[in-house]
Amino acid sequence: MEITIAVDAMGGDHGTHVTIPAVLRFLREHADVDVVLVGLPDAITAELKARKAETGPRLRLHPASEIVTMDESPQSAMKNKKDSSMRVAINLVKTGEASACVSAGNTGALMATARFVLKTIPGVDRPAIAKMLPTRKGGETCVLDLGANVDATSEQLVHFAIMGSALYSAVQHVPSPRVGLLNVGEEEMKGNEQVKGAAELLRRTHLNFIGNVEGDDLYSGNVDVVACDGFPGNIALKASEGLAKMMSDFIKEEFNRSLLTKLIGLVALPVLGRFKKRVDPRRYNGASLLGLRGIVIKSHGGADELAFYWALKQALEEARAGVIQRITDQVQQQLADLSAAPADAVQA
Amino acid sequence: MEITIAVDAMGGDHGTHVTIPAVLRFLREHADVDVVLVGLPDAITAELKARKAETGPRLRLHPASEIVTMDESPQSAMKNKKDSSMRVAINLVKTGEASACVSAGNTGALMATARFVLKTIPGVDRPAIAKMLPTRKGGETCVLDLGANVDATSEQLVHFAIMGSALYSAVQHVPSPRVGLLNVGEEEMKGNEQVKGAAELLRRTHLNFIGNVEGDDLYSGNVDVVACDGFPGNIALKASEGLAKMMSDFIKEEFNRSLLTKLIGLVALPVLGRFKKRVDPRRYNGASLLGLRGIVIKSHGGADELAFYWALKQALEEARAGVIQRITDQVQQQLADLSAAPADAVQA
């Protein structure tokens, strides 16, 4: 099946200067996919021309006259920018003209607009932001929610677990991913009421629930899907980004200390390069807005060409794997399991 | 003033095999401090003998007949182990025979026992676990709470901020440390109700409150004290530990890939060694249990000699700086500022 991806060409800190070269590379490297660039026609054609590229059957242009700015409130974007590149790209998913959309625009506006246009999957109250992270064992761990919700209820944590499991299973081809609940300790009595309640519910589903996991398990490779409230999830992700940046800075500083260390750095460059590639955050740029009736991928606003390219790849993988149908089915099935459980056991 | 530190010699995964060599090194390197080793006399004297050391005026032995195990519940430790090395070490702080105590024993038991024996500072409901973390700018950031409390109220978050500020000011010699609240965004409207309420209260204190900070600010050097609930705090800290471990593993793997990369590794060893030292978690091992009427330092259970040595240094620094008095004064003063504010402005 031919897959079409709608791209908010104007979103992010660098707009078309990043989105368009990333799309051109993506099309070169993936033969079975089309892209619709959504945004101001003049800006898009100018950038295409600068890159010696043009529209054609695999690269179409869909005009949109407005741009949601990076600091615009979700309310303002929803109310005043009905013809924004972000919204029109989401509309294309809604109408079926695109299988997925990708935007580097502001997260709040993207989430609010996507939720309004696409609606949530039956049974899911609130969408979540999910991301794959690298692990020590070489695989990936899916973590959600990363900031769409604060104060998630036990039921919402269960929804996150189900959706993350369905996504991981579809994209990583693992039949029954190990699902953990992020907590301050592995023991059952640890944590707040929401997490304890969620654990009780998860034990009644048919998910492969392995119990509580701790912060270091985001990278341990001992769990495939980590469900958490968006508050600790967001903080853990950003703390990781901050620490990785600090460690990279320190390595650079040490190799720049003197002429000798700079020479050593030159010798070590191929090894350091391979290390850098393995932890390159750009490879983990595409975050999925899960729980919607359509695939929406959020790229980091400051993404460069390579980072945006990886967000496009994430969209393609999810479209190919049919994740929306799989999440819809999983939610329906697991929630049915829960309501079939004895009434007094379910914390409503 | 001569400072005496009471050491729970039996605590941690390795007991006297780690605590005693660390203490011996600590005494060699710090002339103005005494240590009381608390624990089973036979085990302590055997380890001292193995290290060709003996007790004397600067290294005394205080017997205790029991050991709190690493997986023991706080309740069991409190009820059944009244003569444990952990409890007796804390008793020595209570009676004034020691200025601080250090234990690598289990956190829950240590917190519960310390709270029971020492009591909290007037105005503080719940103690918090605080730790210094390295930053990109070379300084340190104090983060609390790291897991003693989940579901902290706005008022408790304010207490954490006051205590962290007093600690940072005393130990880092900064008159008015920048205090931030850990949140999912910098904007005022972000976050959960507890954080929003705490921000409102903090603006009415005389702390140098700079507003919300995000996860990456734990390492940015843009803030000196980060106050947070123990749930996200613990998760952010452990996620950082997990990521740092993964990155170290990856560096090792890349340098171990072939004979050539191993040779390159040998050449780069001095530079990599300096880098490793800068991010060595053992240097940040000592966590402070703040809010008690005495200095209690928690060492990681798996600490080695160097890590435990750094926990001893943390205890000494805090004792020298008179942090308990400074925290007590700060709490009293800042809470007085808050109650002097218009009644309708204070969220009780």
Side-chain angles (χ1 to χ4, degrees), chain A residues 242-256:
Chain A
L243 177 67
K245 193 146 178 37
M246 182 180 78
M247 287 178 77
S248 304
D249 283 2
F250 283 0
I251 291 182
K252 267 186 227 149
E253 278 172 35
E254 291 306 332
F255 277 106
N256 276 321

Side-chain angles (χ1 to χ4, degrees), chain A residues 111-153:
Chain A
M111 180 57 99
T113 308
R115 200 176 160 191
F116 177 77
V117 172
L118 297 173
K119 312 297 179 217
T120 53
I121 283 171
V124 175
D125 310 330
R126 306 249 330 164
I129 299 175
K131 210 168 173 174
M132 296 287 177
L133 297 178
T135 79
R136 285 166 65 193
K137 295 189 176 161
E140 295 186 344
T141 291
C142 174
V143 187
L144 72 169
D145 173 41
L146 292 171
N149 309 276
V150 296
D151 294 323
T153 62

Side-chain angles (χ1 to χ4, degrees), chain A residues 214 238 249 253 278, chain B residues 136 214 238 249 253 278:
Chain A
E214 299 191 62
K238 286 187 183 155
D249 283 2
E253 278 172 35
R278 281 177 80 173
Chain B
R136 284 167 65 191
E214 299 190 62
K238 286 187 182 154
D249 283 2
E253 277 173 35
R278 282 178 78 174

Side-chain angles (χ1 to χ4, degrees), chain B:
Chain B
M1 187 193 78
E2 190 77 4
I3 288 169
T4 299
I5 294 173
V7 173
D8 168 9
M10 316 308 293
D13 299 342
H14 314 292
T16 54
H17 304 311
V18 156
T19 56
I20 288 182
V23 162
L24 294 174
R25 177 175 166 185
F26 179 68
L27 286 173
R28 276 197 306 275
E29 295 183 11
H30 299 85
D32 57 343
V33 61
D34 296 355
V35 166
V36 181
L37 293 169
V38 183
L40 307 183
D42 289 352
I44 292 174
T45 46
E47 186 67 31
L48 283 173
K49 206 175 157 193
R51 304 276 167 182
K52 298 191 182 15
E54 48 190 24
T55 55
R58 289 190 58 212
L59 178 61
R60 301 185 291 277
L61 191 159
H62 194 108
S65 61
E66 294 167 314
I67 301 174
V68 173
T69 58
M70 292 308 275
D71 53 1
E72 193 157 354
S73 78
Q75 293 71 25
S76 156
M78 299 267 289
K79 203 174 152 191
N80 306 322
K81 302 268 177 83
K82 291 187 181 160
D83 196 40
S84 72
S85 55
M86 179 189 278
R87 177 125 174 203
V88 173
I90 297 169
N91 285 341
L92 294 177
V93 175
K94 170 79 176 173
T95 59
E97 289 165 80
S99 315
C101 73
V102 180
S103 175
N106 98 53
T107 313
L110 183 66
M111 180 57 99
T113 308
R115 201 176 160 190
F116 176 78
V117 172
L118 297 173
K119 312 298 179 216
T120 54
I121 284 171
V124 174
D125 310 330
R126 305 251 329 165
I129 299 174
K131 210 167 172 177
M132 297 286 177
L133 297 178
T135 79
R136 284 167 65 191
K137 295 189 177 162
E140 295 186 344
T141 291
C142 174
V143 186
L144 73 169
D145 174 40
L146 292 172
N149 308 276
V150 297
D151 294 323
T153 63
S154 298
E155 288 71 23
Q156 285 166 342
L157 290 173
V158 172
H159 298 167
F160 301 166
I162 298 170
M163 297 194 294
S165 176
L167 174 69
Y168 196 92
S169 169
V171 173
Q172 303 276 340
H173 311 292
V174 171
S176 190
R178 296 162 298 175
V179 174
L181 263 177
L182 194 56
N183 204 335
V184 294
E186 285 176 11
E187 305 83 354
E188 275 184 32
M189 82 271 192
K190 289 263 183 176
N192 54 32
E193 291 312 313
Q194 292 91 309
V195 172
K196 284 184 216 168
E200 214 163 293
L201 291 170
L202 282 169
R203 276 189 286 271
R204 298 175 190 282
T205 66
H206 286 89
L207 292 177
N208 182 7
F209 176 55
I210 62 166
N212 291 330
V213 297
E214 299 190 62
D216 49 342
D217 286 312
L218 296 183
Y219 304 99
S220 69
N222 296 333
V223 58
D224 300 315
V225 178
V226 176
C228 59
D229 177 56
F231 194 89
N234 178 282
I235 283 166
L237 182 74
K238 286 187 182 154
S240 300
E241 287 171 0
L243 177 66
K245 193 144 178 37
M246 182 180 79
M247 287 178 78
S248 305
D249 283 2
F250 283 1
I251 290 183
K252 267 185 229 149
E253 277 173 35
E254 291 306 332
F255 278 106
N256 277 321
R257 203 169 273 282
S258 69
L259 190 60
L260 177 65
T261 58
K262 278 182 193 170
L263 281 171
I264 295 173
L266 275 180
V267 175
L269 203 61
V271 187
L272 293 174
R274 269 197 303 271
F275 162 69
K276 210 177 146 189
K277 201 174 162 188
R278 282 178 78 174
V279 291
D280 190 345
R282 295 179 297 180
R283 289 180 56 192
Y284 300 92
N285 174 42
S288 311
L289 270 48
L290 289 191
L292 300 164
R293 302 184 192 202
I295 298 169
V296 181
I297 303 294
K298 162 78 176 101
S299 158
H300 200 286
D304 66 5
E305 181 187 327
L306 181 65
F308 197 78
Y309 167 86
W310 278 94
L312 294 167
K313 269 179 86 92
Q314 179 71 25
L316 176 59
E317 272 182 31
E318 294 193 15
R320 269 193 193 140
V323 293
I324 300 302
Q325 193 56 52
R326 292 181 70 149
I327 292 174
T328 308
D329 294 348
Q330 271 289 315
V331 167
Q332 198 171 12
Q333 186 190 323
Q334 302 292 352
L335 293 187
D337 286 350
L338 274 183
S339 33
D344 67 306
V346 181
Q347 319 287 314

Side-chain angles (χ1 to χ4, degrees), chain A residues 7 36-41 44 55 60-65 83 85 88-89 91-92 97:
Chain A
V7 173
V36 181
L37 293 169
V38 183
L40 307 183
I44 292 174
T55 54
R60 301 186 291 276
L61 192 159
H62 194 108
S65 62
D83 196 40
S85 54
V88 173
N91 285 341
L92 294 177
E97 290 165 80

